[in-house]
Each structure stands twice: as C-alpha cells, then as structure tokens.
Amino acid sequence: MVLRLILGDQLNRHHSWHEEKSDNVIYCLFEMRQETDYVKHHIKKVAAFFLAMRNFAEELKGAGHRVIYYTINDSENEQNLQANLLKLIEEFNVTRFEYQLPDEYRLDEQLKSIASSVEVDTEVFDTEHFLTERGEVADFFGDSQYLMERFYRYMRKKHNILIDDDKPLGGTWNYDKENRKKLGRDHERVEHLSFKRDIQEVLKELEEANIETIGNADDGELPWPISREESLEVLDYFTDHLLPNFGTFQDAMTENDPYIYHSLLSFSLNTKLISPIEVIKKVEQAYVDDDRVDIAQAEGFIRQILGWREYVRGVYWAKMPEYAGKNFFGNERKLPDWYWTGETKMNCLKNAISQSLDLAYAHHIQRLMITGNFALLAGCDPDEVDKWYLGIYIDAIEWVEITNTRGMSQFADGGLLATKPYVSSANYVHKMSDYCSNCKYDRKKRTGSDACPFNSLYWNFLSVNRELLENNRRMSMMYRLLDKISDEEKQAIDKRAEYLLANIDSI
Ligand SMILES: Cc1cc2nc3c(=O)[nH]c(=O)nc-3n(C[C@H](O)[C@H](O)[C@H](O)COP(=O)(O)OP(=O)(O)OC[C@H]3O[C@@H](n4cnc5c(N)ncnc54)[C@H](O)[C@@H]3O)c2cc1C
Ligand code: SF4
C-alpha cells in the first residue's frame, strides 16, 4: 500500500498523482493543531483552508481515489503530522510513503525527518505548480547582487510571455511608472465576484476545538474561492471586469473600497487550486484579444506572478533558515496593541487594519506602505511584524509572507530583496489615497500635537539610521532633504517622534 500525503496548500487537481486511480494508493489530508497553532491565524483563514481541503478531498473521492481525511475534531486525529502518518502507516500496512515538496522550510524539515525515520520506502515529488525550481533563483544570481528586474526579464524570455522576437511587447520591460494613479473623487466601489456560503458549521468546529484566532467572522461571509471551479470563475471575472484598470490603479488606496481592481487570486494560487501559468496565459490572451487591456495593465499584473511571486520563493529557499532571524536595524519594539483592534486615530492605519481584521485581506500597497511602513518607522521587532502578517492574511504562507514582510517591507535583510527601505511620510499616503482628508492628524505638519505621526517618524528614522543608510545611492536624495531641515526643526521632529514612540499604543 502506498500512502500519499497532501498538505493544505497542495490542492492541485492537475498533479500527475491524480491522473490514475489505484486501490493501492491512499491519499491523506489532516486538519491539525500543529498547523492552526504555530501562529495565531485569522479565523477566516483557518476556515478557508479547512473548507478548501475538505472540498478537495471530496473531489478526489468523487474521482474514485481512496482518501483519509481527519477533521480538526476527529477522534482519530493526533493533531500532529508525524503521529498521524505513523498511525496510518501501521494501520494500512503501508510499504511506501510519498509526499510533495512542501513550500515551507518548517514542514520541509519535519517531512525530511519523518521520511528518514520511517521504516518504509519514501519518495518526494515536485508540486508541479511553480515556474521555477526551488534553487533556480539562487543559481541564477550566484554570488551577484539579487535584483528582481533581472530575474523577471529572464523569466519573460524563458517562458515567452509578452515577448516578440526576444524583445518585450510594447518595447519596454516594465510599466511600473504607469501603475501609480490615484482613484478619482467619484470612484465607486468596484464589484467583485463573491461566493455566498454558510460557514457557521466550520466556525462552530473551530470554537469547539478551542483554536485561538484573530480577526472577525461575525458577518458570516467567506467570499474567497475555495475550489478550482470557483478560482477559475474569479480569474474569468478578473480578466473581464478588473484587468482593464488593474495596472493603472494598482497602488491606489481608498476608505471605500478594500479590493479596488485587485484579483483576489492569492489564496487560490497559494493553495494551488489554480496554477500561475494558467493565470499568466489568460491575462496575456486578454491583452491580445481585448482592446481595453493595454500593455501596462497586462504587464503590471504578469510581473507580480511571473516576477515577484517566483522571485520571493527563490529568495526564501536561497536564504532560509537564516532569513527568519534577520534584523538589519536591530529593532526591538513590540507592535502597538491597535494592530489587533484597528483602534488608532491614524485614519490610514485604522482603515488598513480594520479591513484586514474583517476580511483577512489588504492589498499590496496597504500592506507595504501603511502597516509595514509604520512598523518600520516605529522600529518594531521583525519577529512581531512577521507573526502579524503570517496570521492575519488569508494568503499568508511563510515562503511568500516572510520574504515580503521581513525583506521587502521591513528591510531586515539589509537590502537583499529591496534596494531601499519602503518608508514614507504622509506625502505618499496622501498621493495614493483619500485617507488623509478624513484623519484627525494634519498630513502637512511635522511637529505639534496634531502633526501626522508618519512625518516625524519618517525624518527621525532617517536620522537614527543614517550610518546604515546614507551610503545607499537610492537614499541620497532623502538625506539631502533631511540636511536642508534646520537644526531647530530637526530637534522638534525628534522630540515629537520620541513622544509618539513613548505613547505608541494611544496615538
Ligand atoms: C508586508 C507584505 C506581506 C505580504 N504577504 C503575503 C502573503 O503572505 N501571501 C501572499 O500571497 N502575498 C503576500 N504579499 C504580496 C501581496 O500583497 C499579495 O499577494 C496580494 O495583496 C494578494 O492579493 P491579490 O490576489 O488581490 O493580488 P493582486 O494585486 O491581484 O496580484 C496578483 C497576484 O500576484 C501575486 N503577487 C503580487 N504581489 C506579490 C508579491 N509581492 N509577492 C508575491 N506574490 C505577489 C499574488 O499571487 C497575487 O495574487 C505581501 C506583501 C507585503 C508588502
Ligand atoms: S494624515 Fe497621516 S496618519 Fe492621517 S491618514 Fe494621512 S498619513 Fe495617515
């Protein structure tokens, strides 16, 4: 008998494993405390994973495969991967154990250890999901400087995406400069495809199991796709209705619309319900067929998946486990309490955090330039910041979370992933959103009791970290601007920053 393990983020129906059915093969899927408890997750995230796993197990059964599924409250469930596997190996006289390469270092280590300790043959298979091998980014860069743009061009050529005769379609590789428009005052909430389902049963099970979670599920809604069919519907809806504006407003933020033109495909992609290449091809085809989809929209979207997503995964495998301990600035502050409640007077943070607590979602710029920006300016401990991001978002799995958080957002890797820290004053927030117009703080002031905290914290961050950052060429303009501020004002700015940091839980 062969036992095949499917992890909660390995729901790839098109994996070659599932092509043929055999009575000699048992698939196993486990909902486990090991996974619900290694960090405190958003309640909707746990519900979405369990529902997607249950659905996948039913699909496999429906296709004639033998499946063993342990729900979280199943009396057979040992709540731990090793114990569950050992039990099944014994119970079914298993002679061979097979698993797919996990995407997380933690699980990779655990499965390697299990595989070496069991007394049956073991074999590990690729997940047949990504467009790169685990080590491809490391091999590509070798000892040279890591740079997403270089890797991205290589990927465009390698997979022949938006390429004509080895040249980029449209003549330019990257249309990032055209991806930075603010929404108009008359912007109305964009309609998204949303799935209505009853999640009371699974919520009750989580309660019975006493799983500690964060966030709210009081609205009883889980609009995310949890099956392959639903994921394909979201992809179709995205290309038909949202893609024509995706690139232009990719970085925009507003109080009135949490999703704007974003695709909401991250959960489907990260659980492998849908594959990156089918998403990329669909968008490339939309560029060819649909006059409303210009190159800036298609390229802006494809770059995120063909470029960033594969790149951060490669960085993860190149640099783990050391990456998880990186703390370039030596930051130690705990995250303010309001990261778990949204109760702050800063309107941008209040919005981004409340939305995350309600929906388990915030889009990239909210994560990077609102919550991440503040955490870095305030000198928060990257371990704390990581835990928050790993828990709160529906799509958070360590390989993509830690690289984005510790690397891109917190610059804790000292510039491996990002060429400069993503920090800003209120200027950027105002440029890209409508948050400031409804805020108790004054975005134009650097000092004074109503001055926007981002302003003093920003200039203070530059002063405090001068030694570490001033030789970074991309920071030189910022240091020139800092040096133009009078000593008297700099002192007042530092004093205001000091006050804010001392009272961080109540600002
Ligand atoms: C601090 C921080 C933490 C993040 N944590 C996660 C995480 O845990 N899981 C996760 O999937 N993404 C993470 N991201 C990346 C990005 O914010 C999300 O992928 C995106 O918001 C998901 O929403 P969407 O599907 O609507 O994306 P869209 O804006 O529609 O983008 C399409 C797809 O591109 C991919 N993508 C976009 N940006 C990135 C990126 N920087 N890295 C990798 N893939 C990307 C995603 O698969 C996404 O579904 C993080 C970003 C930041 C700044
Ligand atoms: S004024 Fe400052 S705190 Fe208020 S919304 Fe703007 S950037 Fe955020």
Side-chain angles (χ1 to χ4, degrees):
M1 187 66 73
V2 177
L3 184 67
R4 284 179 170 172
L5 171 70
I6 297 179
L7 296 169
D9 64 348
Q10 296 181 336
L11 312 181
N12 177 4
R13 199 199 293 165
H14 291 306
H15 194 278
S16 50
W17 267 7
H18 313 310
E19 276 165 17
E20 282 172 26
K21 53 182 194 235
S22 160
D23 286 343
N24 288 327
V25 175
I26 298 176
Y27 290 96
C28 59
L29 295 94
F30 313 123
E31 298 171 6
M32 291 178 291
R33 294 305 295 247
Q34 165 186 323
E35 297 306 300
T36 57
D37 297 2
Y38 71 89
V39 75
K40 225 190 261 185
H41 302 279
H42 196 294
I43 187 163
K44 289 189 177 176
K45 179 184 175 189
V46 185
F49 267 91
F50 285 2
L51 289 175
M53 288 166 70
R54 289 174 191 187
N55 195 67
F56 189 76
E58 286 308 312
E59 280 181 8
L60 285 184
K61 279 187 208 162
H65 297 288
R66 288 182 72 179
V67 179
I68 293 190
Y69 191 98
Y70 288 167
T71 56
I72 194 71
N73 295 321
D74 196 319
S75 58
E76 298 282 313
N77 193 342
E78 303 284 345
Q79 306 294 348
N80 164 284
L81 191 51
Q82 173 149 359
N84 279 341
L85 288 171
L86 290 181
K87 182 175 161 143
L88 294 185
I89 286 173
E90 195 178 312
E91 190 176 330
F92 291 94
N93 285 325
V94 168
T95 50
R96 190 175 175 77
F97 168 57
E98 298 181 345
Y99 68 97
Q100 295 176 22
L101 279 174
D103 289 332
E104 275 187 298
Y105 187 83
R106 176 181 64 90
L107 284 164
D108 197 51
E109 290 293 295
Q110 189 183 13
L111 275 160
K112 275 197 271 191
S113 150
I114 295 173
S116 65
S117 66
V118 289
E119 283 166 6
V120 297
D121 292 341
T122 58
E123 189 172 351
V124 55
F125 291 74
D126 194 85
T127 53
E128 303 173 9
H129 172 83
F130 290 100
L131 294 153
T132 42
E133 302 289 327
R134 266 188 188 178
E136 197 165 335
V137 167
D139 291 344
F140 178 78
F141 288 106
D143 292 331
S144 67
Q145 160 101 48
Y146 279 46
L147 205 59
M148 200 300 278
E149 186 62 27
R150 240 183 87 204
F151 168 76
Y152 170 54
R153 292 181 190 186
Y154 151 79
M155 290 292 280
R156 288 268 296 275
K157 287 191 200 161
K158 182 177 168 194
H159 295 279
N160 199 26
I161 304 292
L162 298 179
I163 290 284
D164 184 22
D165 200 16
D166 239 24
K167 302 255 163 27
L169 280 183
T172 304
W173 287 102
N174 183 319
Y175 289 81
D176 196 25
K177 288 204 177 72
E178 293 176 38
N179 298 157
R180 297 175 189 163
K181 227 170 152 195
K182 185 175 180 161
L183 294 160
R185 276 178 205 278
D186 52 351
H187 172 79
E188 281 180 20
R189 188 170 169 149
V190 181
E191 211 167 305
H192 276 256
L193 196 63
S194 159
F195 299 94
K196 299 254 174 289
R197 60 181 105 254
D198 188 358
I199 58 167
Q200 293 314 322
E201 191 56 40
V202 70
L203 295 182
K204 212 168 115 212
E205 288 174 54
L206 300 188
E207 200 182 329
E208 276 163 19
N210 252 325
I211 294 172
E212 275 192 67
T213 54
I214 51 173
N216 317 309
D218 303 345
D219 59 8
E221 288 179 10
L222 190 69
W224 289 78
I226 53 150
S227 68
R228 178 165 170 78
E229 277 65 33
E230 289 180 354
S231 304
L232 291 173
E233 275 183 62
V234 170
L235 176 59
D236 280 351
Y237 186 88
F238 172 71
T239 47
D240 287 350
H241 300 277
L242 310 171
L243 180 60
N245 287 307
F246 173 86
T248 308
F249 298 109
Q250 196 171 342
D251 289 1
M253 298 171 282
T254 168
E255 286 188 313
N256 309 318
D257 192 344
Y259 305 127
I260 317 180
Y261 297 103
H262 292 274
S263 68
L264 311 191
L265 280 167
S266 51
F267 179 79
S268 303
L269 279 162
N270 294 351
T271 49
K272 305 184 181 59
L273 291 168
I274 197 164
S275 80
I277 196 64
E278 67 188 321
V279 176
I280 291 167
K281 290 277 183 198
K282 173 95 182 171
V283 168
E284 189 185 36
Q285 198 57 44
Y287 166 66
V288 174
D289 295 342
D290 186 342
D291 289 345
R292 300 168 308 152
V293 179
D294 65 36
I295 187 74
Q297 318 306 320
E299 188 282 323
F301 185 81
I302 285 173
R303 189 185 338 124
Q304 308 309 321
I305 298 181
L306 185 66
W308 280 110
R309 189 168 185 269
E310 297 287 330
Y311 179 65
V312 299
R313 173 172 178 266
V315 169
Y316 181 77
W317 284 108
K319 302 296 172 187
M320 280 297 278
E322 296 77 20
Y323 206 80
K326 296 276 178 204
N327 189 354
F328 180 67
F329 295 112
N331 287 335
E332 290 180 339
R333 191 180 306 283
K334 86 176 207 353
L335 266 186
D337 291 346
W338 38 261
Y339 268 73
W340 283 269
T341 62
E343 285 166 21
T344 163
K345 294 192 274 296
M346 291 179 277
N347 197 38
C348 51
L349 281 152
K350 182 177 160 185
N351 266 274
I353 293 172
S354 306
Q355 168 194 323
S356 304
L357 290 167
D358 289 343
L359 307 172
Y361 180 82
H363 70 67
H364 187 71
I365 293 301
Q366 293 174 305
R367 299 185 201 195
L368 187 65
M369 297 310 295
I370 305 293
T371 41
N373 187 6
F374 186 88
L376 178 51
L377 292 180
C380 294
D381 183 339
D383 287 348
E384 287 246 324
V385 186
D386 255 335
K387 264 191 219 147
W388 188 80
Y389 280 97
L390 187 56
I392 200 161
Y393 292 117
I394 193 126
D395 50 37
I397 303 181
E398 193 191 62
W399 65 270
V400 56
E401 176 280 323
I402 200 170
T403 38
N404 271 292
T405 303
R406 205 169 269 261
M408 189 187 297
S409 152
Q410 300 301 295
F411 203 73
D413 62 8
L416 176 81
L417 209 128
T419 46
K420 72 175 179 62
Y422 280 97
V423 282
S424 81
S425 65
N427 271 350
Y428 178 85
V429 180
H430 176 62
K431 195 173 115 204
M432 294 313 304
S433 79
D434 55 12
Y435 293 142
C436 299
S437 51
N438 231 345
C439 185
K440 292 210 163 46
Y441 292 106
D442 187 337
R443 68 177 172 84
K444 292 194 190 125
K445 287 191 180 168
R446 292 168 175 166
T447 56
S449 59
D450 63 342
C452 168
F454 276 89
N455 294 339
S456 51
L457 290 177
Y458 175 72
W459 295 108
N460 177 258
F461 169 86
L462 291 183
S463 293
V464 169
N465 295 301
R466 184 162 206 140
E467 240 174 69
L468 290 170
L469 295 176
E470 78 175 334
N471 292 330
N472 180 327
R473 274 192 303 126
R474 295 199 64 205
M475 297 299 286
S476 55
M477 193 176 84
M478 290 304 131
Y479 278 100
R480 278 202 299 280
L481 290 175
L482 176 67
D483 290 339
K484 284 190 181 153
I485 300 175
S486 70
D487 285 348
E488 199 183 335
E489 197 185 349
K490 266 193 237 159
Q491 273 175 18
I493 287 174
D494 291 345
K495 211 164 152 218
R496 168 86 177 137
E498 207 177 292
Y499 169 85
L500 291 166
L501 293 175
N503 294 281
I504 200 160
D505 284 329
S506 58
I507 59 176

